[in-house]
């Protein structure tokens, strides 16, 4: 009998891994992510158009190579990569090798030009784009106990939790550097565990998601980039604004719900994108909001002029709908608050500052 079947206690990383990606897991279900939550990709085709423009800028910065890679991490059912190919100029599309990276089976109706992979290609020249991938890389959750010690949070299949062993080793060091809990602000490097153990009891109940697996996952895929740009897009936070009780949550049928690791819901947590950036041995990294990134790619949300309404009413209605979609993609308090981590190899910054 498996630990899951027996209702045994496991860390959140193992529990979420099984619930999301194991046999019968949430991301293997036929309806796909679009059946449960709305991403930028599903909100508007404008998003795919903006990514296509970004790929064109990368292409130009690379000197228009004979073969240009576009890698869509966590491709869902291929919605983004299909939209990007459709939005590319014919000359660029003819040179583009499109890779969709996803654990689910390839959709039967997917464009034949798209290669469907379980892992990213080993060498990439072009654009690696990870839209809402890292938030679904499972991580451990830590909580400070009544004695001030951060401990691993254990969970059962039904979502019940209890505290386990103290956080130690590389995970404790990660917490100390990137998400200090209570009195651990001064702990760094080899002193991490010592600093964490000295927390005061008043910090009991503080929680953090230990983002080390995400740092490693991001560094591994970026290492395949020979030239071009890697972009991670996710709900995120940085060291200055870590949430005191973490962000672990679930989504089911369009609504936020308690995270229960039984395969019935998405399990997600916001991403420490600053830590992911530091995990890559690259000299430059840029963190900006989706709002700023999309505006730099031509999505403004500006309403059409009223003069157009009287002169060409049909065109005005279409322009108004487009403006509404752009507003949703860049909205404060919504999709516009997503973080974009951009790291380039061998090319200058392709977005104006």
């Amino acid at each position: 009998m498996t630990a899951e079947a027996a209702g045994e206690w496991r860390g959140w990383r193992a529990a979420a891994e099984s619930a999301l990606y194991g046999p019968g897991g949430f991301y293997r279900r036929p309806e796909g992510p679009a059946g449960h939550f709305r991403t930028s990709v599903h909100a508007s085709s404008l998003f795919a158009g903006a990514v296509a423009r970004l790929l064109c800028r990368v292409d130009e910065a690379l000197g228009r190579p004979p073969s240009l890679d576009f890698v869509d991490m966590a491709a869902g059912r291929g919605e983004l990569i299909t939209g990007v190919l459709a939005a590319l100029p014919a000359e660029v599309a003819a040179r583009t090798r499109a890779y969709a990276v996803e654990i689910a089976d390839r959709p039967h109706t997917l464009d034949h030009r798209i290669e469907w992979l379980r892992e990213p290609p080993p060498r990439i020249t072009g654009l690696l784009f990870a839209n809402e991938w890292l938030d679904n890389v499972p991580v451990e959750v830590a909580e400070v106990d009544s004695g001030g010690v951060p401990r691993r949070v254990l969970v059962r299949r039904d979502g019940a939790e209890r505290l386990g062993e103290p956080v130690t080793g590389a995970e404790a060091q990660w917490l100390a550097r990137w998400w200090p809990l209570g009195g651990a602000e001064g702990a760094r490097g080899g002193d991490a565990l010592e600093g964490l153990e000295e927390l005061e009891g008043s910090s009991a109940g503080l929680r953090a998601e230990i983002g080390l697996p995400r740092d490693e996952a991001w560094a591994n895929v970026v290492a395949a980039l020979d030239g071009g740009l890697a972009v991670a897009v996710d709900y995120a936070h940085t060291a200055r604004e870590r949430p005191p009780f973490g962000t672990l949550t679930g989504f089911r049928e369009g609504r936020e719900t308690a995270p229960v690791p039984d395969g019935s819901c998405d399990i997600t947590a916001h991403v420490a994108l600053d830590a992911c950036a530091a995990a890559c041995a690259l000299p430059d990294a840029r963190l900006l909001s989706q709002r700023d990134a999309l505006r730099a790619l031509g999505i403004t949300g500006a309403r059409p002029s009223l003069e157009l309404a009287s002169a060409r009413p049909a065109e005005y209605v279409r322009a108004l709908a487009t403006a509404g979609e752009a507003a949703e993609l860049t909205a404060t308090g919504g999709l516009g608050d997503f973080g974009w981590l951009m790291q380039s190899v061998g090319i200058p910054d392709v977005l104006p500052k």
Side-chain angles (χ1 to χ4, degrees):
M1 181 178 294
T2 67
E4 184 175 356
E8 294 182 9
W9 299 93
R10 298 186 293 172
W12 264 108
R13 184 181 182 188
E17 183 75 33
S18 176
L20 295 178
Y21 306 116
F26 177 82
Y27 276 98
R28 296 184 183 275
R29 294 168 60 161
E31 72 272 19
H36 294 270
F37 50 86
R38 183 176 174 86
T39 72
S40 299
V41 178
H42 308 124
S44 173
S45 61
L46 293 175
F47 188 79
V51 177
R53 287 192 292 278
L54 182 61
L55 178 58
C56 288
R57 294 188 186 186
V58 171
D59 179 45
E60 185 175 354
L62 288 168
R64 297 193 173 95
S67 182
L68 177 70
D69 297 328
F70 176 63
V71 180
D72 181 10
M73 294 294 300
R77 299 303 180 264
E79 299 94 336
L80 175 61
I81 198 166
T82 298
V84 169
L85 283 178
L88 287 174
E91 188 276 328
V92 179
R95 291 186 288 108
T96 297
R97 295 185 301 186
Y99 301 97
V101 182
E102 176 59 61
I103 65 160
D105 293 336
R106 179 190 179 98
H108 297 302
T109 59
L110 195 70
D111 191 313
H112 71 278
R113 294 174 295 173
I114 298 171
E115 210 172 322
W116 196 262
L117 305 173
R118 293 296 179 95
E119 300 289 340
R123 308 291 292 272
I124 301 168
T125 299
L127 175 60
L128 169 72
F129 201 84
N131 185 60
E132 297 196 53
W133 168 51
L134 290 173
D135 68 314
N136 287 126
V137 173
V139 294
E140 298 292 359
V141 178
E143 181 176 321
V144 180
D145 69 11
S146 60
V149 178
R151 294 180 176 273
R152 189 187 305 270
V153 177
L154 305 181
V155 64
R156 287 190 320 215
R157 180 179 168 83
D158 62 4
E161 291 183 338
R162 75 179 189 189
L163 298 186
E165 68 280 4
V167 178
T168 61
E171 291 181 342
Q173 293 179 21
W174 189 94
L175 280 179
R177 180 180 180 187
W178 294 110
W179 199 329
L181 290 169
E185 288 89 350
R188 291 292 185 270
D191 298 328
L193 181 56
E194 179 182 354
L196 289 168
E197 289 176 337
E198 293 175 354
L199 293 174
E200 298 177 357
S202 61
S203 60
L206 295 180
R207 288 171 68 122
E209 291 100 29
I210 305 173
L212 188 60
R214 294 168 172 178
D215 296 356
E216 294 170 346
W218 181 243
N220 285 339
V221 297
V222 172
L225 191 64
D226 290 333
L229 178 67
V231 181
V233 181
D234 250 308
Y235 276 124
H237 44 62
T238 59
R240 293 183 178 181
E241 52 183 20
R242 302 285 190 229
F245 302 106
T247 62
L248 186 72
T249 192
F251 283 92
R252 182 188 294 114
E253 297 178 355
R255 295 185 178 182
E256 189 169 4
T257 185
V260 178
D262 62 358
S264 68
C265 67
D266 185 26
I267 297 172
T268 180
H270 294 193
V271 182
L273 281 180
D274 49 351
C276 293
C280 300
L282 296 175
D284 297 314
R286 188 176 174 189
L287 278 167
L288 66 165
S289 70
Q290 173 155 298
R291 184 178 310 105
D292 291 338
L294 292 184
R295 285 174 178 170
L297 290 167
I299 295 180
T300 64
R303 293 172 62 91
S305 69
L306 291 176
E307 294 179 358
L308 185 63
S310 57
R312 297 189 295 276
E315 185 177 336
Y316 174 81
V317 170
R318 289 193 297 270
L320 193 61
T322 298
E325 293 176 5
E328 181 180 2
L329 291 173
T330 58
T332 300
L335 296 174
D337 291 345
F338 269 71
W340 281 45
L341 167 59
M342 305 179 67
Q343 296 188 275
S344 58
V345 174
I347 64 171
D349 193 342
V350 295
L351 285 189
K353 295 183 179 179

